[in-house]
Amino acid sequence: MKMWRNMGHLHVELKDVLADWELELLPRGFERIGHVAIVSIPLELHHRLDDVARALLRIKGIRTVALREGIISGRKRRPNIKVIRGDPTTETIHKENGCDFKLDVAKVMFSSGNLYERARLPRLVADGEVVVDLFAGVGQFTIPIAKHAKPRKVYSIEINPIAYGYLLQNVRMNYVGHIVEPLMGDCLEVAPRGVADRVIMGLLHVTHQYLPLALEVLRPTGGIIHYHESVPSKIRFERPVKRLLEVALGRKIRILQKRVVKRYAPGVDHVVVDAKVEPDLA
Ligand SMILES: C[S@@+](CC[C@H](N)C(=O)[O-])C[C@H]1O[C@@H](n2cnc3c(N)ncnc32)[C@H](O)[C@@H]1O
């Protein structure tokens, strides 16, 4: 996320406008996706929304300021944001790490906090691999992998027709149509079985329900699963590792890496566990 670069900007801009107690409530950072700045402002500070929006619109390249009003809801992960000032257009092109992502920030999710994960994955993909991205979104992992690694093929599955539409556009815009095969629908139904060297499970809340599918999608010779989960910080790695081992049903699974992707909510982390599934000898 570019959040860290944006840290402090609002405080500097508003230090002579807001009272001390208001400055304390002001968030340290904001998200920037393309030309849209997205802020989360506590209710007690909503009387200052206009001042915050004006300060953000003074930043080069920002044309729209939107307020995040809670968390993304539903299986199709629709964001809950409202434009508060500037250009009402929420469709944008977000440039990151040599990739262009077109999306409507009010309609589909794009997490700035996953920036490092989007840069990390392509570095892990070996030449000639077949990758299956089970919850592709607008191509957050698919596009950087297809662009910066040398996979033979990436199957990208997405159930939400709006996100799928952007996935198709992003595949075209980034010239990776010869590598990526987008598939629309529920991954339980449309995911190819027995083909993958690597399966990406970039979903939260119910990811474990799809672990048996991930095993089926891998080649019988095994492969790697990138398993994401939102989990109470106290059991941040314990629960995902337990779930991976439980689903293995006798197959050998080796944990390669565990990392916190971001703080999801107070006391809740978004984590990813990379697991190597050994060959199926059954
Ligand atoms: C949280 S978004 C994540 C996108 C991307 N993987 C990332 O991590 O940035 C999850 C995406 O999975 C899609 N999705 C949810 N359930 C699905 C399913 N059963 N089959 C295919 N896609 C699904 C949602 O529509 C959404 O676009």
Side-chain angles (χ1 to χ4, degrees), residues 67-78:
L67 179 67
R68 191 177 292 288
E69 296 186 299
I71 56 167
I72 289 166
S73 59
R75 175 155 92 149
K76 293 184 182 168
R77 316 294 291 154
R78 202 183 161 98

Side-chain angles (χ1 to χ4, degrees), residues 75-77 109 114 134-137 140-141 157-160 163 185-187 202-203 210:
R75 175 155 92 149
K76 293 184 182 168
R77 316 294 291 154
M109 95 111 216
N114 297 359
L134 288 177
F135 310 97
Q140 285 93 327
F141 295 130
I157 305 161
E158 176 51 52
I159 200 170
N160 175 344
D186 186 337
C187 57
L203 179 75
Y210 295 87

Side-chain angles (χ1 to χ4, degrees), residues 29-221:
F30 59 93
E31 283 187 71
R32 181 174 181 167
I33 302 174
H35 73 272
V36 187
I38 305 172
V39 271
S40 303
I41 304 280
L43 269 181
E44 306 89 295
L45 207 56
H46 274 202
H47 61 288
R48 289 297 199 174
L49 283 182
D50 209 42
D51 295 305
V52 172
R54 283 170 191 276
L56 289 170
L57 284 170
R58 285 197 283 275
I59 298 173
K60 192 165 172 257
I62 290 186
R63 299 201 310 273
T64 303
V65 177
L67 179 67
R68 191 177 292 288
E69 296 186 299
I71 56 167
I72 289 166
S73 59
R75 175 155 92 149
K76 293 184 182 168
R77 316 294 291 154
R78 202 183 161 98
N80 201 0
I81 73 159
K82 181 175 96 187
V83 172
I84 52 175
R85 204 173 177 93
D87 180 348
T89 315
T90 47
E91 183 175 84
T92 192
I93 294 180
H94 180 70
K95 292 180 182 293
E96 178 186 291
N97 191 21
C99 303
D100 290 350
F101 298 98
K102 188 171 180 187
L103 73 148
D104 188 328
V105 297
K107 293 186 179 155
V108 295
M109 95 111 216
F110 191 97
S111 174
S112 308
N114 297 359
L115 169 66
Y116 181 77
E117 192 60 18
R118 288 191 287 272
R120 183 181 81 100
L121 276 192
R123 297 200 292 265
L124 303 176
V125 176
D127 293 2
E129 276 190 10
V130 173
V131 179
V132 176
D133 187 357
L134 288 177
F135 310 97
V138 301
Q140 285 93 327
F141 295 130
T142 287
I143 300 294
I145 286 174
K147 232 175 156 173
H148 299 311
K150 291 195 177 100
R152 183 153 61 81
K153 191 160 187 115
V154 182
Y155 293 96
S156 302
I157 305 161
E158 176 51 52
I159 200 170
N160 175 344
I162 299 174
Y164 182 76
Y166 285 117
L167 171 65
L168 294 183
Q169 292 190 60
N170 291 330
V171 166
R172 268 200 304 276
M173 264 172 43
N174 289 278
Y175 305 103
V176 289
H178 56 301
I179 297 171
V180 180
E181 182 168 338
L183 298 167
M184 192 179 133
D186 186 337
C187 57
L188 286 170
E189 285 159 24
V190 303
R193 285 4 187 220
V195 297
D197 300 294
R198 188 176 297 273
V199 176
I200 306 169
M201 304 185 75
L203 179 75
L204 295 177
H205 308 296
V206 291
T207 329
H208 59 287
Q209 294 174 3
Y210 295 87
L211 272 171
L213 169 69
L215 285 183
E216 278 180 39
V217 167
L218 283 178
R219 288 177 196 277
T221 45

Side-chain angles (χ1 to χ4, degrees), residues 235-253:
I235 50 165
R236 64 162 70 102
F237 295 125
E238 202 181 312
R239 191 176 77 185
V241 168
K242 188 164 164 268
R243 283 178 163 165
L244 273 158
L245 298 179
E246 266 169 15
V247 87
L249 295 176
R251 283 184 78 172
K252 239 172 102 187
I253 293 196

